[in-house]
Amino acid sequence: MKKTFVDVLLELPVDATLREFLTSHHLPVPDGFAWDDAPETSQFLVEAVKVWPDIAARDRMTANLMASVQLGDSAGKQVMFEAVVGNGAALAGLMLCQSDIHRSFWLYVHHKALFEKAVDFDFWERHGAKTQQYDLGVKRVPNETSTAMTGLHHAISAFYKRELQCGDSSVGYLVERSPGVFLLTVHVKDMAMLRLEFEGSALKRRVGNPNIHMALEYSQFTGVVRTLVRGGYKYQQMLVDAFAEHVLGVQVNAQKIRPPTLDLSMLRTGFDAPKAFEDGFVMVQLKALTLLSPDGALKIECTAMQSSQQRSVHELLKEMLPGPLEGQWMVTAALINLYYPPEPGRTRAKVVPIEVTSKGRLNLHKFDPRMQTQLESYLVSVGILQKSQTLNVQEIPPETSAVNSTPVIEG
């Protein structure tokens, strides 16, 4: 269930950051109020907000409060630490925070620009499964100058003016997320809308322009881009072309990359990855298999239940339903669980799931780069992936010459 401002205030510690935030919004508290980190103090602050007579000021404060904790989960924690790399003060501050929601709030109050950077990272990570992948055939260091970015903004705005009669302005950022991997985030001004909203206690119609949010990830080692933009192929192609022309300095005929068809037949006998144990996992379980009959008339999905004592599904199938494993049935999907030992004081082990289908769909984008590399190595070792199919493959170093020409690159 979505948190309310009451939940947030009761969860955040009453420290200097919360005091700074609330006093900057002029929350009325008694003179000499003791800002102690105690449940009674948090409850008093909640009640103070509830009876705050200045409705407009209260709305501004609660709106900022709810915006400040949008990164308050495990995924948000990851992108926050990624965003503050290179800023020692911000990194130290995050490490001293008591929880993910506290980290999100602290970063919002003390380092707003880094918070917004983390929000852009979070947008990419949460929607990564919807991306489209293209091979540019170009491996270059992106041009991050204001001239290049201005040209990019103008190209994107011109496209939206032509297609949707909007896009009067756009704002974009290019950051290097990891060595050789760049993330471009662009916000475009959408068509004006008349919205019915409350301002304080008054209901008013106000004019606003929604934000069209898009992103692109580029690897200078592989020449591959991934795009995240609404509108279908035409819009993806626009973003790829604009990025290539203005940031890489080339015009390309980008080829859409189709997911490879993967052979999962080896999973009939389990998932054997000894390196997983070297990396700290204590158990590997083939949790689920989906199999399709030779004539395509029947599909079965088998999952090892909790009562199986974490036995692998192929072992259970051998005992109870051996036909699909022994026949010509095709393995079309699998779920592999890798277990870390329980943390001190806990009984449940942390589980890292690998989801894979014969159509090439993988869930590896949900993990950080280090974990991606580990999981890919296991898939390579059992023969599901080739080294050339991994997300982190590094090929010939990119061109280091200045980006100042616009040759046409085929394919």
Side-chain angles (χ1 to χ4, degrees):
M1 188 173 68
K2 187 177 180 181
K3 293 180 183 290
T4 68
F5 78 86
V6 174
D7 301 321
V8 174
L9 285 176
L10 292 178
E11 188 170 340
L12 287 173
V14 182
D15 58 5
T17 300
L18 184 60
R19 179 175 182 175
E20 177 184 336
F21 176 81
L22 293 177
T23 53
S24 69
H25 284 85
H26 310 293
L27 175 67
V29 294
D31 292 337
F33 177 70
W35 293 84
D36 300 323
D37 187 19
E40 313 84 67
T41 308
S42 297
Q43 190 60 54
F44 179 90
L45 292 172
V46 167
E47 297 303 322
V49 174
K50 288 181 177 180
V51 300
W52 196 352
D54 190 339
I55 297 175
R58 183 192 66 191
D59 288 348
R60 282 193 297 273
M61 188 282 292
T62 55
N64 275 280
L65 180 68
M66 300 313 293
S68 73
V69 296
Q70 62 184 292
L71 299 177
D73 57 20
S74 57
K77 173 184 176 181
Q78 180 177 314
V79 296
M80 282 189 286
F81 275 105
E82 185 179 345
V84 303
V85 169
N87 188 315
L91 179 60
L94 286 184
M95 295 181 69
L96 292 174
C97 291
Q98 300 177 15
S99 64
D100 292 337
I101 195 172
H102 188 202
R103 270 182 276 273
S104 181
F105 178 71
W106 184 90
L107 193 64
Y108 182 89
V109 174
H110 296 292
H111 299 275
K112 194 67 171 290
L114 291 177
F115 179 88
E116 296 299 341
K117 182 179 178 181
V119 168
D120 282 339
F121 290 171
D122 188 61
F123 170 78
W124 177 261
E125 294 303 328
R126 292 184 190 274
H127 298 87
K130 301 176 183 177
T131 60
Q132 297 295 327
Q133 199 168 1
Y134 295 85
D135 184 4
L136 298 185
V138 177
K139 303 170 187 177
R140 289 195 171 195
V141 178
N143 183 351
E144 302 180 60
T145 64
S146 58
T147 300
M149 294 303 294
T150 298
L152 175 75
H153 296 156
H154 287 167
I156 293 174
S157 291
F159 174 86
Y160 277 94
K161 287 179 181 178
R162 184 172 63 253
E163 295 293 325
L164 299 178
Q165 289 71 56
C166 64
D168 292 335
S169 60
S170 64
V171 177
Y173 311 93
L174 183 66
V175 295
E176 189 171 11
R177 291 194 67 181
S178 59
V181 179
F182 296 80
L183 180 66
L184 170 73
T185 300
V186 181
H187 301 268
V188 179
K189 182 179 177 182
D190 202 350
M191 189 177 300
M193 296 180 65
L194 191 63
R195 300 188 179 189
L196 189 63
E197 297 179 346
F198 275 96
E199 183 176 334
S201 58
L203 186 61
K204 296 183 177 181
R205 293 190 180 275
R206 64 173 82 244
V207 175
N209 295 80
N211 162 49
I212 301 174
H213 195 178
M214 66 190 70
L216 176 149
E217 184 182 66
Y218 170 71
S219 170
Q220 68 183 41
F221 297 114
T222 63
V224 168
V225 295
R226 291 196 295 161
T227 61
L228 182 59
V229 53
R230 294 196 312 267
Y233 177 77
K234 182 190 294 185
Y235 293 79
Q236 298 158 15
Q237 195 66 50
M238 170 276 302
L239 184 58
V240 170
D241 290 346
F243 175 79
E245 180 176 354
H246 297 283
V247 180
L248 299 182
V250 296
Q251 294 179 347
V252 299
N253 290 328
Q255 300 297 312
K256 190 172 183 178
I257 299 175
R258 304 290 180 184
T261 299
L262 301 179
D263 180 7
L264 306 183
S265 60
M266 72 290 297
L267 297 179
R268 296 170 186 273
T269 58
F271 186 85
D272 185 20
K275 191 173 183 302
F277 299 99
E278 299 175 15
D279 293 334
F281 292 104
V282 294
M283 188 173 67
V284 176
Q285 179 194 25
L286 183 54
K287 177 71 173 176
L289 283 176
T290 301
L291 300 106
L292 186 66
S293 64
D295 61 0
L298 179 64
K299 180 174 77 171
I300 61 173
E301 299 177 5
C302 302
T303 302
M305 305 301 287
Q306 189 171 359
S307 59
S308 71
Q309 302 298 315
Q310 296 178 320
R311 293 178 66 193
S312 288
V313 68
H314 78 287
E315 297 174 352
L316 299 171
L317 276 169
K318 267 191 200 176
E319 294 177 7
M320 303 179 190
L321 194 66
L325 290 184
E326 296 172 357
Q328 298 300 313
W329 290 55
M330 177 182 177
V331 181
T332 60
L335 170 62
I336 302 130
N337 282 348
L338 299 100
Y339 295 85
Y340 280 120
E343 295 179 358
R346 298 190 178 184
T347 57
R348 298 192 64 171
K350 179 182 176 183
V351 182
V352 177
I354 303 176
E355 299 171 9
V356 58
T357 74
S358 59
K359 293 184 177 179
R361 295 194 183 94
L362 289 158
N363 67 334
L364 301 187
H365 64 274
K366 296 182 179 180
F367 302 102
D368 62 60
R370 180 174 175 275
M371 180 61 72
Q372 281 183 11
T373 301
Q374 280 186 218
L375 301 182
E376 285 175 342
S377 71
Y378 309 154
L379 295 176
V380 169
S381 70
V382 300
I384 292 176
L385 287 181
Q386 302 299 315
K387 286 187 177 181
S388 60
Q389 295 172 326
T390 60
L391 296 175
N392 299 303
V393 63
Q394 294 192 8
E395 300 177 356
I396 302 171
E399 301 169 27
T400 55
S401 58
V403 180
N404 55 15
S405 59
T406 56
V408 176
I409 307 297
E410 295 294 337

